[in-house]
């Protein structure tokens, strides 16, 4: 990839390590339901419970990971959480026959994996401050390449052995931990302890309550993300059963996600134009994302057909491409040393929507099919746009000041 040549070698190595880790992580998550139902012989309700426990662990991990960034230190937090995640994955084949221990371990794995997320994003914001918005987007693309590779391999590996997927996932997590251990140890020797702070800002310690009181930075994008990801559950708990009930082949649903992965690569020039012409700031990109998601659900409601779902996936993917790098970029730009705390907090709030969405929409689908689910998605998308617009209005002057400081 020629565009990677414009980045320093350390960035290229970081992207490669991130791709490998995301590929390993995506080996397992598509197979959890199949593993619980087929291999362990439990019901689909039990499979849903395992996924919910894992998601709950992820929410706690996001919140705690951001709060512990400066107290524990970036190296201990990232390397420790990735190492514990690897140990949990290696233990799965031995623990899985014991149902309650298996559920607890899945929660532990979800927790450890999530603890590292805000720390890694905050570290990127510190280390590459002059190009952080651009690099957040490149990391997002690299992670999606890894997800595409991992999900493509997961089915083949599961045919061989479910345990093999757990072990390979653990290996990639351990490799990522070793990468960060070596990388951050070298930085410590060269530059001293890593902090996340602007050079022109005096360093001061803030308590959790004072951080929570600064609602301008996190509250409205956090609540907006909660609604956004709740609505996005329509793909698994609305579109998927609708395709099956209409007698379409299952590969029609798989095609939607294949298209999602392809668009994330090929539509980068289009999102760059959107950012240049209509959404120059991170706040504007977040708002535009909400509008794209809203447009996707309106298309599903209006066309109520597979071509409509294809068009909706295109719109939703553009929304995903805008919001995923924009939130950590905004927080890194405006929160300074407190960025890890706010990245974890907004990530945890969004994860609540991901956890609640499948359950709420599952009830609606069982009682009325695709349309009640779609109207719920539209309603929560409207709410997400309202909160994103509120966020943009409250931060308008801060964004102007930031643009002028970079211009000078």
């Amino acid at each position: 990839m020629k565009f990677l040549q414009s980045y320093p070698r350390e960035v290229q190595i970081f992207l490669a390590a991130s791709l490998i880790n995301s590929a390993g992580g995506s080996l397992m998550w598509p197979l959890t339901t199949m593993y619980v139902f087929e291999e362990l012989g439990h019901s689909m309700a039990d499979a849903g419970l395992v996924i919910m426990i894992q998601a709950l662990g992820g929410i706690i991990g996001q919140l705690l990971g951001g709060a512990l960034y400066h107290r524990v230190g970036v190296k201990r937090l990232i390397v420790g959480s990735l190492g514990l995640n690897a140990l949990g994955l290696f233990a799965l084949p031995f623990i899985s026959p014991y149902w309650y221990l298996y559920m607890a371990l899945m929660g532990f794995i979800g927790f450890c994996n999530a603890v590292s997320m805000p720390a890694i994003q905050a570290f990127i914001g510190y280390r590459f401050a002059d190009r952080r918005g651009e690099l957040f987007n490149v990391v997002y693309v690299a992670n999606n390449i890894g997800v595409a590779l991992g999900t493509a391999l997961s089915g083949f590996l599961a045919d061989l052995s479910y345990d093999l997927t757990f072990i390979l996932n653990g290996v990639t997590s351990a490799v990522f931990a070793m990468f960060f251990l070596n990388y951050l140890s070298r930085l410590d020797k060269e530059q001293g302890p890593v902090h996340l702070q602007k050079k022109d800002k005096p360093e001061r310690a803030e308590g959790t309550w004072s951080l929570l009181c600064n609602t301008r930075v996190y509250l409205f994008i956090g609540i907006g993300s909660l609604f956004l990801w709740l609505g996005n559950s329509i793909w698994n708990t609305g579109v998927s059963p609708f395709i099956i009930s209409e007698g379409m082949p299952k590969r029609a649903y798989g095609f939607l996600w294949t298209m999602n992965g392809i668009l994330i690569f090929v539509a980068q020039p289009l999102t760059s134009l959107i950012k240049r012409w209509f959404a120059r700031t991170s706040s504007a990109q977040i708002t535009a994302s909400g509008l794209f998601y809203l447009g996707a659900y309106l298309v599903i409601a209006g066309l109520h057909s597979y071509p409509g779902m294809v068009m909706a996936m295109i719109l939703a993917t553009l929304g995903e491409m805008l919001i995923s790098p924009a939130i950590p970029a905004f927080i890194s730009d405006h929160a300074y040393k407190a960025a890890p705390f706010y990245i974890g907090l907004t990530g945890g709030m969004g994860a609540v929507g991901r956890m609640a969405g499948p359950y709420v929409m599952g009830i609606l689908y069982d009682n009325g099919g695709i349309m009640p689910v779609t109207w719920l998605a539209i309603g929560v998308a409207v709410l997400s746009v309202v909160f994103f617009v509120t966020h943009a209005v409250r931060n308008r002057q801060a964004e102007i000041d930031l643009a002028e400081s970079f211009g000078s």
Side-chain angles (χ1 to χ4, degrees):
M1 295 183 181
K2 285 188 176 181
F3 76 94
L4 287 178
Q5 296 174 1
S6 64
Y7 294 101
R9 179 170 174 77
E10 66 171 320
V11 174
Q12 297 177 27
I13 296 172
F14 174 82
L15 291 174
S18 182
L19 186 154
I20 292 169
N21 184 61
S22 64
S26 62
L27 284 175
M28 191 177 73
W29 67 261
L31 303 175
T32 299
T33 300
M34 293 170 57
Y35 180 72
V36 171
F37 183 72
E38 181 183 24
E39 190 78 4
L40 300 183
H42 285 264
S43 67
M44 290 297 289
D46 285 341
L49 179 61
V50 169
I51 292 171
M52 184 172 289
I53 290 172
Q54 188 177 8
L56 181 60
I59 293 171
I60 298 170
Q62 288 256 16
L63 296 173
L64 195 61
L68 292 178
Y69 184 96
H70 292 292
R71 297 181 183 181
V72 175
V74 61
K75 183 164 67 174
R76 288 180 182 175
L77 190 61
I78 295 178
V79 176
S81 61
L82 289 172
L84 289 173
N85 186 57
L87 290 176
L89 289 163
F90 290 142
L92 266 180
F94 307 100
I95 294 297
S96 56
Y98 308 98
W99 177 241
Y100 293 106
L101 284 177
Y102 170 75
M103 288 195 293
L105 187 57
M106 288 297 287
F108 176 77
I109 290 169
F111 170 80
C112 292
N113 187 54
V115 165
S116 66
M117 292 178 184
I120 292 172
Q121 289 181 320
F123 173 75
I124 294 170
Y126 158 76
R127 179 64 180 161
F128 311 104
D130 56 334
R131 303 175 72 175
R132 63 166 65 107
E134 179 185 353
L135 191 59
F136 277 128
N137 187 62
V138 175
V139 170
Y140 163 71
V141 174
N143 284 339
N144 274 277
I145 295 174
V147 169
L149 292 173
T151 51
L153 289 171
S154 61
F156 297 104
L157 292 172
D159 282 338
L160 297 174
S161 168
Y162 282 108
D163 292 346
L164 181 61
T165 65
F166 303 151
I167 293 170
L168 287 179
N169 192 354
V171 168
T172 59
S173 186
V175 167
F176 206 34
M178 294 302 296
F179 162 77
F180 267 107
L181 178 62
N182 177 67
Y183 181 47
L184 293 173
S185 296
R186 179 170 55 82
L187 283 184
D188 281 349
K189 290 178 182 177
E190 293 175 359
Q191 302 177 10
V194 175
H195 295 291
L196 181 70
Q197 187 168 0
K198 269 191 169 183
K199 292 180 181 178
D200 58 348
K201 281 271 178 181
E203 185 172 339
R204 61 188 180 91
E206 291 186 272
T208 301
W209 179 248
S210 63
L211 292 173
L212 289 173
C213 288
N214 188 13
T215 57
R216 176 183 65 83
V217 175
Y218 76 93
L219 183 63
F220 299 102
I221 51 173
I223 296 175
S225 296
L226 188 157
F227 287 124
L228 191 78
W229 298 125
L230 192 156
N232 202 48
S233 299
I234 189 175
W235 297 106
N236 293 323
T237 325
V239 171
S240 174
F242 175 78
I243 285 175
I244 295 171
S245 66
E246 291 293 301
M248 301 181 208
K250 293 182 180 67
R251 63 178 177 273
Y253 181 66
F255 171 76
L256 294 175
W257 289 107
T258 302
M259 185 175 63
N260 170 268
I262 293 172
L263 282 172
I264 288 170
F265 311 140
V266 303
Q268 287 295 320
L270 177 56
T271 54
S272 296
L273 287 176
I274 293 170
K275 293 174 185 178
R276 190 178 307 129
W277 291 349
F278 306 111
R280 290 180 177 272
T281 66
S282 297
S283 294
Q285 290 158 26
I286 293 168
T287 304
S289 170
L291 291 171
F292 273 113
Y293 275 104
L294 174 58
Y297 308 143
L298 288 171
V299 167
I300 293 176
L303 296 183
H304 198 57
S305 64
Y306 188 72
M309 291 170 184
V310 171
M311 177 59 67
M313 178 58 86
I314 293 172
L315 293 172
T317 302
L318 291 174
E320 176 190 347
M321 293 168 69
L322 287 170
I323 198 170
S324 293
I327 288 181
F330 171 85
I331 293 174
S332 296
D333 283 337
H334 295 272
Y336 312 116
K337 188 179 179 181
F341 176 83
Y342 291 122
I343 289 173
L345 186 57
T346 55
M349 293 169 76
V352 171
R354 284 192 177 99
M355 186 176 72
Y359 180 72
V360 175
M361 290 190 171
I363 294 173
L364 286 176
Y365 190 91
D366 287 342
N367 287 280
I370 185 69
M371 288 312 295
V373 172
T374 305
W375 285 116
L376 174 62
I378 291 170
V380 294
V382 169
L383 288 173
S384 72
V385 171
V386 169
F387 279 100
F388 290 154
V389 169
T390 304
H391 166 82
V393 170
R394 290 203 63 187
N395 288 278
R396 179 178 297 160
Q397 188 57 49
E399 295 271 46
I400 293 171
D401 294 342
L402 181 70
E404 289 176 350
S405 69
F406 276 109
S408 61

